């Protein structure tokens, strides 16, 4: 094909067909996201400018990204951004890419925090989050709620740098809404004092059994940081830790809300038998009907 003929429309069509063969999950969307990124325009503009030819520099940059995507690199790592809840978050190869699945955890938590706020009018709600990544979860809370005091920990300094830039990007959700969000580098909750008097513990911890990681699709196992995935030999390391440690950090009748793997309900229920400080867990499904959230409350 003559170089002048590589218009936006033609290059998108060509890439879609290419991705259908090698990365068939969302070929058109992937092509559009990459081209919009190269042209620095909203996706919709690709249709308004469909007949516009690409110059050599644009074609070169796009070709490079298409090759990386074809090799398996997730789109979010190529564009450096991912939409989550109502936010557009910076991501890097040091962070997990926030998943739509995690919006079930956000939705459940927002409802529970709102209920808590109704019984504690004007009080500040104290929350700790284990494994914040891009700060997707606490920022989504701040987009919906006010009067929150959140400490979010992560053991990865690189991840926390990305989280800090996301906080910077969404300053408008913090002080103006009387929300405080503090990022702390910490192995587990070691940096949080036992007398923390928390109302909620929230976490989407790593929960993939170590040996399963290499069987996940290439996008995940070769590109996402294993520290964000690896839940130990049985995938339950962080749940055991949280069930054991939670009671010393929470107020009486405090609550813990956790994302779990779609097949972990039975294991979590059995695990909970060893921790009688908690009332029986309730489990909630995502929009596909998979159980993805586990809610626990301390016995009064
Ligand atoms: C599954 S990712 C969740 C990220 C983010 N909350 C989300 O939902 O997109 C788990 C996070 O836990 C962090 N992490 C892993 N081990 C940890 C540890 N021992 N202490 C603190 N954070 C840890 C990882 O760096 C990663 O950011």
């Amino acid at each position: 094909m003559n170089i002048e003929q590589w218009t936006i429309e033609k290059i998108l069509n060509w890439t879609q067909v290419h991705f259908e063969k090698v990365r068939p999950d969302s070929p058109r969307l992937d092509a559009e996201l990459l081209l919009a990124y190269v042209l620095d325009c909203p996706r919709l503009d690709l249709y308004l400018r469909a007949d516009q030819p690409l110059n050599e520099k644009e074609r070169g940059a796009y070709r490079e990204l298409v090759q990386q995507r074809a090799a398996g690199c997730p789109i979010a790592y190529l564009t450096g951004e991912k939409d989550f809840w109502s936010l557009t978050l910076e991501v890097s190869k040091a962070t997990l890419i926030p998943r739509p699945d995690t919006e079930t955890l956000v939705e459940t938590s927002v409802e529970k925090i709102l209920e808590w706020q109704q019984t504690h009018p004007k009080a500040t709600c104290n929350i700790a989050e284990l494994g914040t990544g891009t700060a997707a979860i606490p920022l989504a809370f701040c987009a919906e709620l006010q009067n929150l005091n959140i400490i979010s920990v992560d053991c990865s300094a690189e991840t926390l740098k990305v989280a800090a830039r996301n906080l910077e990007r969404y300053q408008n959700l913090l002080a103006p809404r009387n929300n405080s969000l503090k990022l702390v580098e910490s192995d587990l909750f070691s940096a949080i004092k036992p007398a923390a008097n928390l109302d909620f513990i929230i976490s989407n911890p790593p929960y993939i059994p170590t040996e399963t990681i290499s069987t996940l699709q290439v996008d995940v196992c070769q590109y996402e940081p294993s520290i964000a995935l690896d839940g130990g030999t049985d995938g339950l390391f962080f749940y055991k830790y949280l069930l054991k440690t939670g009671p010393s950090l929470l107020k009486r009748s405090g609550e813990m809300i956790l994302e779990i793997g779609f097949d972990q309900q039975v294991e979590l229920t059995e695990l909970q038998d060893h921790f009688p400080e908690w009332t029986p867990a309730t489990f909630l499904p995502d929009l596909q009907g998979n159980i993805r959230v586990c809610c626990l409350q301390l016995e009064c």
Side-chain angles (χ1 to χ4, degrees):
M1 187 182 280
N2 181 321
I3 283 173
E4 276 71 42
Q5 289 176 305
W6 282 111
T7 61
I8 287 179
E9 185 183 8
K10 283 184 181 158
I11 210 160
L12 279 178
N13 291 342
W14 182 90
T15 315
Q16 179 178 353
V17 172
H18 179 54
F19 282 162
E20 273 163 5
K21 289 183 222 140
V22 291
R23 296 281 147 215
D25 283 356
S26 48
R28 183 72 186 189
L29 178 63
D30 289 2
E32 290 176 6
L33 286 169
L34 292 181
L35 193 54
Y37 173 70
V38 167
L39 300 180
D40 194 19
C41 69
R43 258 171 65 214
L44 183 63
D45 282 16
L46 300 176
Y47 289 89
L48 303 176
R49 295 158 52 182
D51 294 333
Q52 180 187 310
L54 270 68
N55 65 35
E56 203 179 323
K57 195 169 159 223
E58 290 163 343
R59 284 200 316 277
Y62 182 66
R63 191 182 310 117
E64 169 66 21
L65 294 177
V66 168
Q67 279 167 1
Q68 290 193 52
R69 175 65 196 133
C73 186
I75 294 286
Y77 288 150
L78 296 173
T79 62
E81 281 190 344
K82 177 73 183 174
D83 288 343
F84 177 82
W85 201 252
S86 56
L87 314 164
T88 299
L89 297 169
E90 179 184 329
V91 301
S92 82
K93 287 185 179 167
T95 70
L96 187 92
I97 300 167
R99 307 282 202 274
D101 315 25
T102 302
E103 295 187 346
T104 307
L105 174 74
V106 171
E107 212 173 332
T108 307
S109 307
V110 166
E111 275 169 27
K112 288 198 172 279
I113 297 167
L114 268 175
E115 275 169 29
W116 183 93
Q117 290 187 325
Q118 274 155 15
T119 53
H120 301 78
K122 299 207 177 121
T124 297
C125 184
N126 292 309
I127 302 168
E129 183 207 10
L130 175 60
T132 195
T134 54
I137 295 171
L139 281 173
F141 291 175
C142 293
E144 300 303 319
L145 300 162
Q146 302 191 8
N147 302 327
L148 306 179
N149 178 30
I150 310 175
I151 298 182
S152 287
V153 311
D154 206 287
C155 63
S156 158
E158 279 309 303
T159 294
L160 287 172
K161 283 183 199 160
V162 176
R165 287 196 288 273
N166 282 324
L167 260 61
E168 200 51 49
R169 192 182 274 205
Y170 286 107
Q171 279 297 320
N172 60 318
L173 304 178
L174 301 175
R177 302 172 63 90
N178 202 26
N179 292 325
S180 148
L181 173 46
K182 195 170 158 204
L183 300 173
V184 178
E185 187 177 339
S186 171
D187 180 24
L188 304 167
F189 277 144
S190 56
I192 296 190
K193 306 240 168 5
N197 265 338
L198 299 171
D199 299 300
F200 289 90
I201 289 174
I202 311 280
S203 187
N204 171 21
Y207 52 71
I208 313 286
T210 310
E211 297 223 316
T212 308
I213 293 177
S214 61
T215 68
L216 300 177
Q217 63 186 62
V218 173
D219 310 38
V220 180
C221 70
Q222 283 186 20
Y223 289 90
E224 300 211 62
S226 61
I227 199 166
L229 304 170
D230 193 341
T233 22
D234 55 5
L236 300 174
F237 172 83
F238 290 89
Y239 301 118
K240 289 176 196 163
Y241 168 78
L242 287 164
L243 283 163
K244 184 163 176 236
T245 312
S248 65
L249 298 174
L250 285 164
K251 288 181 190 157
R252 279 171 74 89
S253 80
E255 295 184 58
M256 186 152 78
I257 309 171
L258 309 173
E259 179 166 318
I260 63 170
F262 71 95
D263 54 357
Q264 286 180 318
Q265 180 180 6
V266 172
E267 287 168 310
L268 257 292
T269 308
E270 286 169 5
L271 187 60
Q272 212 214 317
D273 289 345
H274 302 285
F275 298 92
E277 303 92 324
W278 302 94
T279 58
T282 52
F283 292 92
L284 297 166
D286 62 15
L287 289 175
Q288 282 75 46
N290 296 315
I291 296 294
R292 298 311 307 274
V293 172
C294 171
C295 304
L296 295 135
Q297 186 156 27
L298 283 180
E299 292 275 8
C300 292

Coordinates of all heavy atoms in Angstrom, one line a residue, residues 96-99 102 129-134 136-137 153-156 159 186-188 204-206 227-229 238, ligand 1:
L96 N 0.2 -3.1 39.7 CA -0.9 -3.9 39.1 C -1.8 -2.9 38.3 O -2.0 -1.8 38.7 CB -1.7 -4.5 40.2 CG -2.8 -5.5 39.7 CD1 -2.2 -6.9 39.7 CD2 -4.0 -5.5 40.6
I97 N -2.3 -3.4 37.2 CA -3.3 -2.6 36.5 C -4.6 -2.8 37.2 O -5.1 -3.9 37.3 CB -3.4 -3.0 35.0 CG1 -2.0 -2.9 34.3 CG2 -4.4 -2.3 34.3 CD1 -1.9 -3.6 33.0
P98 N -5.3 -1.7 37.7 CA -6.5 -1.8 38.4 C -7.6 -2.5 37.5 O -7.6 -2.2 36.3 CB -7.0 -0.4 38.7 CG -5.8 0.4 38.5 CD -4.9 -0.3 37.6
R99 N -8.3 -3.5 38.0 CA -9.3 -4.3 37.3 C -10.7 -3.9 37.5 O -11.1 -3.5 38.6 CB -9.2 -5.8 37.8 CG -7.8 -6.4 37.8 CD -7.4 -6.8 36.4 NE -6.4 -7.8 36.4 CZ -5.1 -7.6 36.4 NH1 -4.6 -6.4 36.6 NH2 -4.3 -8.6 36.4
T102 N -12.4 -5.2 40.6 CA -12.2 -4.5 41.9 C -13.3 -3.5 42.2 O -13.5 -3.0 43.3 CB -10.8 -4.0 42.0 OG1 -9.9 -5.0 41.8 CG2 -10.4 -3.3 43.3
E129 N -5.8 0.5 54.4 CA -5.9 -0.4 53.2 C -4.5 -1.1 53.1 O -3.5 -0.4 53.1 CB -6.1 0.5 51.9 CG -6.2 -0.4 50.7 CD -5.9 0.3 49.4 OE1 -5.3 1.4 49.4 OE2 -6.1 -0.3 48.3
L130 N -4.5 -2.4 52.8 CA -3.3 -3.1 52.6 C -3.1 -3.4 51.1 O -4.0 -3.9 50.5 CB -3.4 -4.5 53.4 CG -2.2 -5.4 53.1 CD1 -0.9 -4.8 53.6 CD2 -2.4 -6.7 53.9
G131 N -1.9 -2.9 50.6 CA -1.6 -3.2 49.2 C -2.3 -2.2 48.2 O -3.1 -2.6 47.4
T132 N -1.9 -0.9 48.3 CA -2.7 0.1 47.6 C -2.4 0.2 46.1 O -3.3 0.6 45.3 CB -2.5 1.5 48.2 OG1 -3.6 2.3 47.7 CG2 -1.2 2.1 47.9
G133 N -1.3 -0.3 45.6 CA -1.0 -0.2 44.2 C -1.0 1.3 43.7 O -0.4 2.1 44.2
T134 N -1.9 1.5 42.7 CA -2.0 2.9 42.2 C -2.9 3.8 43.0 O -3.1 4.9 42.6 CB -2.8 2.8 40.8 OG1 -4.0 2.1 41.0 CG2 -1.9 2.1 39.8
A136 N -5.9 3.1 43.6 CA -7.2 3.1 42.9 C -8.4 3.0 43.9 O -9.4 3.8 43.8 CB -7.3 1.9 42.0
I137 N -8.3 2.1 44.9 CA -9.4 1.9 45.8 C -9.7 3.1 46.7 O -10.8 3.6 46.7 CB -9.2 0.6 46.6 CG1 -9.2 -0.6 45.7 CG2 -10.3 0.5 47.7 CD1 -8.8 -1.9 46.4
V153 N -1.2 1.3 52.7 CA 0.2 0.9 52.7 C 0.5 0.0 51.4 O -0.4 -0.6 50.9 CB 0.5 0.1 54.0 CG1 0.1 0.8 55.2 CG2 0.0 -1.3 53.9
D154 N 1.8 0.0 51.1 CA 2.3 -0.9 50.1 C 3.7 -1.1 50.4 O 4.4 -0.2 51.0 CB 2.1 -0.3 48.7 CG 2.0 -1.4 47.6 OD1 3.1 -2.1 47.3 OD2 0.9 -1.7 47.1
C155 N 4.2 -2.3 50.1 CA 5.6 -2.6 50.4 C 6.6 -2.1 49.3 O 7.8 -2.2 49.4 CB 5.8 -4.1 50.6 SG 5.4 -5.1 49.1
S156 N 6.0 -1.7 48.1 CA 6.8 -1.3 47.0 C 7.0 0.2 46.9 O 6.0 0.9 46.6 CB 6.2 -1.9 45.7 OG 6.7 -1.2 44.6
T159 N 5.9 1.5 43.4 CA 4.4 1.6 43.3 C 3.9 2.8 44.0 O 3.0 3.5 43.5 CB 3.8 0.3 44.0 OG1 4.2 -0.8 43.2 CG2 2.3 0.4 44.1
S186 N 5.2 0.1 53.8 CA 5.2 -0.8 54.9 C 5.0 -2.3 54.5 O 4.3 -2.6 53.5 CB 3.9 -0.5 55.8 OG 3.6 -1.4 56.8
D187 N 5.7 -3.2 55.2 CA 5.5 -4.6 54.9 C 4.3 -5.0 55.7 O 4.2 -4.8 56.9 CB 6.7 -5.4 55.4 CG 6.5 -6.9 55.2 OD1 5.7 -7.3 54.3 OD2 7.2 -7.7 55.9
L188 N 3.3 -5.4 55.0 CA 2.0 -5.7 55.7 C 1.5 -4.5 56.4 O 1.7 -3.3 55.9 CB 2.1 -7.0 56.6 CG 2.6 -8.2 55.8 CD1 2.9 -9.3 56.7 CD2 1.5 -8.7 54.8
N204 N -7.4 -5.5 48.6 CA -7.4 -6.4 47.4 C -5.9 -6.9 47.4 O -5.1 -6.4 46.7 CB -7.7 -5.6 46.1 CG -7.4 -6.5 44.9 OD1 -7.4 -7.7 45.0 ND2 -7.2 -5.9 43.7
P205 N -5.7 -8.0 48.2 CA -4.3 -8.4 48.4 C -3.9 -9.3 47.2 O -4.7 -9.8 46.5 CB -4.3 -9.2 49.7 CG -5.7 -9.8 49.7 CD -6.6 -8.8 49.0
P206 N -2.6 -9.7 47.1 CA -2.2 -10.7 46.2 C -2.9 -12.0 46.6 O -2.8 -12.3 47.8 CB -0.7 -10.8 46.3 CG -0.3 -9.5 47.0 CD -1.5 -9.1 47.9
I227 N 4.9 -9.5 42.7 CA 4.7 -9.1 44.1 C 3.2 -8.7 44.3 O 2.7 -8.8 45.4 CB 5.6 -8.0 44.6 CG1 5.7 -8.0 46.1 CG2 5.3 -6.7 44.0 CD1 6.8 -7.2 46.7
A228 N 2.6 -8.3 43.2 CA 1.2 -7.9 43.3 C 0.2 -9.1 43.1 O -1.0 -8.9 43.3 CB 0.9 -6.8 42.3
L229 N 0.8 -10.2 42.7 CA -0.1 -11.4 42.4 C 0.1 -12.5 43.4 O -0.9 -13.2 43.7 CB 0.3 -11.9 41.0 CG 0.2 -10.9 39.8 CD1 0.9 -11.6 38.6 CD2 -1.2 -10.5 39.5
F238 N -2.2 -13.7 52.7 CA -2.6 -12.3 53.1 C -3.9 -12.4 53.9 O -4.2 -11.6 54.8 CB -2.7 -11.3 52.0 CG -1.4 -11.0 51.4 CD1 -0.8 -11.7 50.4 CD2 -0.6 -9.9 51.9 CE1 0.5 -11.4 49.9 CE2 0.6 -9.6 51.4 CZ 1.2 -10.3 50.4
Ligands
LIG1 C1 -3.4 -7.2 44.0 S1 -2.4 -5.8 44.1 C2 -3.7 -4.6 44.5 C3 -3.4 -3.2 44.0 C4 -4.6 -2.2 44.1 N1 -5.1 -2.1 45.5 C5 -5.7 -2.6 43.2 O1 -6.7 -3.1 43.6 O2 -5.5 -2.3 41.9 C6 -1.7 -6.0 45.7 C7 -0.7 -5.0 46.2 O3 -0.1 -5.4 47.4 C8 1.2 -5.0 47.5 N2 1.9 -5.9 48.4 C9 2.4 -7.2 48.2 N3 3.0 -7.7 49.3 C10 2.8 -6.7 50.2 C11 3.3 -6.7 51.6 N4 3.9 -7.6 52.2 N5 3.0 -5.5 52.3 C12 2.4 -4.5 51.7 N6 1.9 -4.5 50.4 C13 2.2 -5.6 49.7 C14 1.7 -5.1 46.0 O4 2.8 -4.3 45.8 C15 0.5 -4.6 45.3 O5 0.5 -3.2 45.0

